[in-house]
Amino acid sequence: MRTATKPRTLTSPPKRSRIGDIRMRAVYRGLAVVAAVAAAAVAVVVVLPSEPDEVVAGPVTAPPAAQPSSGPSAPASASASASASSSVSASVSPSETVTPAAPAAQVTPTPGTSLAPGYTAMEALYADPRVPKLTAKVKRMRLPAPARRVTKDRRSGLAVPKLPKPWKAYGPAPFTTRQVLPRLRGGAVRGMFVTCPLPIMEQKSPRDSALLAARWTLNHHPKGSRITWLASQPVKRGWLLVYRVTYGKRSSRAAVVVVDGGMSKPGLAFVSVPDAQRKQWSDIARVASGVRVLG
């Protein structure tokens, strides 16, 4: 017997909902965006420190010169300077100590021909222990009549005595004229009479110029020489100083005469005779009285 079968009705597959696909796609995109943002944030955190104190310490260098600043930028520069100084302090080992620079010593005049900075020629003279102060107690000396025979110094504008024997003319360099006594056996010093333009700075008064000239003559005496004043007095258009120069157990008699000879600088006549040739000490007075203006 055949049974009757019901005819099957074909049904179409269920339709998918596109709303669900749209939602899941949006979710995936959102997750990707969130992941990218998170990765970027991590990179920023790794590259940039969160606080200024977290900067990695580098080699300590000298801070640059401070630039003038105004307004709100001043505190920032101050904090930068503070951090730099703290870094320098940290780099110094505990055993090292910083010693402040010693203050510059004050320069004082010393014996010699050069001047200390800030001092005048007369201040240097007064500070020289080799040259005592010239006081009013130093008296004048009696001068003989001037000599007739003279030696002419045209550079200085002076005429000076031509001394008798045993004096003799000698090579003038580095002076303008020079006369000397014979050299003694075993003696390093001998009598000398020279003229030249004033070798030091001219002062306002002839007396001060003569004082500086007498100090200068110590360069032509043995080392360690010191002056003792014997006479001081004005001469025509100048000044005369007579003095004793002591060096150890020996001494010399000397004189300087500074006279304005009408040239760019005054003229100087300088004579010195050691005690070993004391017989010629009288020639010092002859020199002192015989220096005059050439004319």
Side-chain angles (χ1 to χ4, degrees):
M1 252 176 95
R2 292 182 180 180
T3 58
T5 58
K6 294 181 179 182
R8 293 180 179 180
T9 59
L10 298 174
T11 61
S12 59
K15 296 181 178 180
R16 286 186 176 182
S17 177
R18 298 186 63 85
I19 298 175
D21 294 342
I22 294 173
R23 290 180 178 177
M24 292 305 295
R25 193 176 301 167
V27 169
Y28 292 149
R29 289 179 179 176
L31 290 176
V33 171
V34 170
V37 171
V42 171
V44 171
V45 170
V46 172
V47 174
L48 299 178
S50 60
E51 295 293 339
D53 294 338
E54 295 177 5
V55 177
V56 178
V60 178
T61 58
Q67 298 293 333
S69 59
S70 60
S73 61
S77 61
S79 62
S81 301
S83 62
S85 61
S86 62
S87 300
V88 174
S89 300
S91 64
V92 178
S93 60
S95 61
E96 296 177 352
T97 57
V98 179
T99 57
Q106 184 179 2
V107 181
T108 55
T110 56
T113 57
S114 60
L115 291 180
Y119 285 85
T120 65
M122 295 306 297
E123 288 172 339
L125 169 72
Y126 297 143
D128 193 338
R130 305 173 301 168
V131 185
K133 186 177 181 180
L134 182 61
T135 65
K137 294 181 179 180
V138 179
K139 299 180 180 180
R140 298 188 178 196
M141 69 177 295
R142 186 176 180 179
L143 299 178
R148 293 182 179 181
R149 300 177 62 192
V150 298
T151 298
K152 298 179 180 181
D153 180 357
R154 300 189 183 280
R155 284 188 58 197
S156 304
L158 301 181
V160 297
K162 186 174 183 180
L163 299 176
K165 293 182 179 180
W167 292 90
K168 63 179 181 179
Y170 196 75
F175 309 101
T176 308
T177 69
R178 176 159 52 172
Q179 302 175 54
V180 298
L181 288 173
R183 191 182 300 276
L184 298 177
R185 180 178 298 179
V189 182
R190 63 171 170 173
M192 178 177 66
F193 173 36
V194 299
T195 62
C196 62
L198 189 66
I200 46 87
M201 184 182 301
E202 181 184 2
Q203 302 300 301
K204 293 182 178 179
S205 71
R207 178 181 179 273
D208 289 346
S209 295
L211 282 169
L212 292 179
R215 180 183 183 231
W216 172 83
T217 63
L218 292 178
N219 297 323
H220 299 278
H221 287 95
K223 186 177 181 180
S225 297
R226 302 175 70 94
I227 285 177
T228 302
W229 300 117
L230 300 178
S232 174
Q233 61 200 72
V235 293
K236 187 176 182 180
R237 302 182 66 173
W239 200 272
L240 162 68
L241 290 174
V242 182
Y243 49 97
R244 179 171 59 249
V245 182
T246 305
Y247 37 91
K249 296 181 179 180
R250 309 307 297 264
S251 65
S252 294
R253 292 283 179 92
V256 292
V257 186
V258 176
V259 174
D260 182 5
M263 311 303 285
S264 59
K265 296 189 70 175
L268 169 66
F270 160 52
V271 59
S272 178
V273 180
D275 54 5
Q277 296 174 318
R278 64 180 68 240
K279 291 182 179 180
Q280 271 65 49
W281 276 357
S282 59
D283 293 333
I284 295 177
R286 186 176 286 110
V287 169
S289 65
V291 178
R292 58 180 175 82
V293 176
L294 182 62

